[in-house]
């Protein structure tokens, strides 16, 4: 007996029921997987950097002028806007936005999968993505930093391209790019989809305009020359890893192994699809390859970089599972859920010694200075400024921009001569105009300590005296008249 086709009204009702149930499931799962992120005031220095930037911008600062970073402006602006509404004393509102970003990514992936392979695939894609999204060191997976906010934009770009909405796809690529430069990697699979669609050339113009206009607007809203320098042209030394080959290789292998463990439920079907080539998902393979290239660019391999791999992996696994028995999908979800549990426990229970150090340092800083004093923390933990609620004495929030240590290098290419071009004259002028009331040397034996940075050593010798020590960090107070 043949079944009669569903009427449009019944089909729409069925679709609404599907999305109501799936959104509820994914929302609960997003909240559960992100729960550890709310247990600590911050997870890594990137969150601290963004929080300090946002406070400076809120007080009238100018991005790429009075505060600088190698990143595009979208996430600092998001932090600034969130602080304007909810105050700057807590990252909880930003963490809520991170939950929503993960939920949006899962929903977009589910929509792509459902359009291509049906209802069951939509549920699998969204669920698998959220389960593996926490599969890294929690300081990488749980932090509300750049990669988390790249992901919904990249997924939106693929969603729009899948529906031939080329202008919107370009705008989504621009949002990813303006969150972090590597987000622009999704442009490659979007162009591939455009080519395969046979769309007229006008669609390519809409795609190009969608990418270019937001980027141009962001450059004009900041400073075009500063925007270009800090996001593109000024990071040559940062991308070199000469002398740090073993250090960087070990980090790459470690984070690859951690993510592979988290993806234990996804990798077998993906590997099978690679062998049989039956998924017909060329755009997804290109998305994965482009994301892998984005992880590799700069040769740093920090754990949070690997988050960019998780959306295409989830979709590829879903595609591969469609040609396997239905129970294989259930098994993939079950394995992913089981593996997710220890990662959540890691986030809930693991100690964060660097956070405890920054908190003790911030307490000492707040005790020895006044709220309107400017201070200098010579280290790679800008969160100290935020925790102490003190204004940095310089636009360079870490020693990394002045020594090239911010890339996590342990080799010889650390020191004044490897700094971002032009930074030291500006740094000296800032400290001469408004000398910091307190300087904290938080290098703790790292290769950017004052003994290897002559300019800082002369500054401390000429105008400061040691007044204390916290966990190996040395505090220097300004000598009257110094």
């Amino acid at each position: 007996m043949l079944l009669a086709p569903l009427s449009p009204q019944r089909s729409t009702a069925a679709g609404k029921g599907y999305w109501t149930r799936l959104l509820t499931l994914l929302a609960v799962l997003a909240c559960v997987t992100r729960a550890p992120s709310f247990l600590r005031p911050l997870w890594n220095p990137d969150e601290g950097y963004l929080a300090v930037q946002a406070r400076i911008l809120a007080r009238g600062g100018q991005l790429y002028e009075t505060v600088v970073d190698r990143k595009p402006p979208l996430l600092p602006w998001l932090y600034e806007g969130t602080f304007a509404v909810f105050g700057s004393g807590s990252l909880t509102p930003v963490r809520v936005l991170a939950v929503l970003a993960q939920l949006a990514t899962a929903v977009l992936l589910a929509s792509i999968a459902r359009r291509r392979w049906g209802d069951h695939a939509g549920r699998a894609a969204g669920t698998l993505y959220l389960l593996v999204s926490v599969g890294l060191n929690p300081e990488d997976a749980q932090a509300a930093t750049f990669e988390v906010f790249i992901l919904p934009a990249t997924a939106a770009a693929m969603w729009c391209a899948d529906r031939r909405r080329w202008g919107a796809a370009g705008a989504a690529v621009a949002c990813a790019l303006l969150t972090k430069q590597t987000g622009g990697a999704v442009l490659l699979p979007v162009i591939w989809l455009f080519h395969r669609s046979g769309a007229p050339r006008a669609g390519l113009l809409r795609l190009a305009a969608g990418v270019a206009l937001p980027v141009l607007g962001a450059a004009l809203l900041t400073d075009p020359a500063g925007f270009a320098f800090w996001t593109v042209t000024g990071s040559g030394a940062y991308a070199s890893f000469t002398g740090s080959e073993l250090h960087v290789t070990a980090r790459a292998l470690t984070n690859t192994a951690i993510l592979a463990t988290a993806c234990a439920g996804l990798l077998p079907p993906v590997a099978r699809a690679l062998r049989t080539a039956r998924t017909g998902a060329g755009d997804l393979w290109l998305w994965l390859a482009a994301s892998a290239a984005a992880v590799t660019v700069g040769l740093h391999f920090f754990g949070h970089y690997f988050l960019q791999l998780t959306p295409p992996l989830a979709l590829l696994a879903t595609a591969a599972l469609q040609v396997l028995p239905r129970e294989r999908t259930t098994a993939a979800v079950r394995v992913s859920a089981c593996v997710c549990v220890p990662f959540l426990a890691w986030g809930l229970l693991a100690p964060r010694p660097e956070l405890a150090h920054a908190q003790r340092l911030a307490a000492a800083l707040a005790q020895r200075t006044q709220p309107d004093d400017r201070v200098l923390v010579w280290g790679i933990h800008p969160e100290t400024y935020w925790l102490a609620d003190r204004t940095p004495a310089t636009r360079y929030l870490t020693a990394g921009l002045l020594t090239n240590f911010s890339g996590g290098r342990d080799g010889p290419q650390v020191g004044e001569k490897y700094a971002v071009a032009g930074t030291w004259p500006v740094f000296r002028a800032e400290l001469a105009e408004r000398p910091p009331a307190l300087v904290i040397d938080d290098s703790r034996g790292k290769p950017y300590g004052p003994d290897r940075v002559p300019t800082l050593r002369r500054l401390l010798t000429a105008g400061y005296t040691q007044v204390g020590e916290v966990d190996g960090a040395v505090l220097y107070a300004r000598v009257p008249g110094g």
Side-chain angles (χ1 to χ4, degrees), residues 46 71 136 140-141 145-148 150-151 180 182 238 251 255 259 291-310 406-409:
D46 281 353
K71 303 296 193 301
L136 290 162
D140 297 307
T145 53
F146 299 95
E147 283 73 18
V148 169
I150 282 176
L151 301 180
K180 189 179 177 184
T182 54
Y238 184 77
R251 185 191 301 138
N255 287 318
L259 183 60
S291 299
V295 172
T296 305
V297 167
L299 302 172
H300 295 93
F301 300 106
F302 291 122
H304 46 90
Y305 291 10
F306 288 73
L307 288 172
Q308 206 163 338
L309 299 172
T310 53
S406 57
R409 305 309 194 205

Side-chain angles (χ1 to χ4, degrees), residues 291-350:
S291 299
V295 172
T296 305
V297 167
L299 302 172
H300 295 93
F301 300 106
F302 291 122
H304 46 90
Y305 291 10
F306 288 73
L307 288 172
Q308 206 163 338
L309 299 172
T310 53
L313 277 173
L315 278 182
L316 277 169
T318 303
L321 289 166
Q322 303 318 299
V323 298
L324 298 174
R326 182 87 170 249
E327 57 267 20
R328 292 293 297 273
T329 300
T330 303
V333 172
R334 185 183 298 117
V335 170
S336 298
C338 290
V339 175
C340 179
V341 171
F343 279 100
L344 291 179
W346 188 5
L348 292 169
L349 302 175

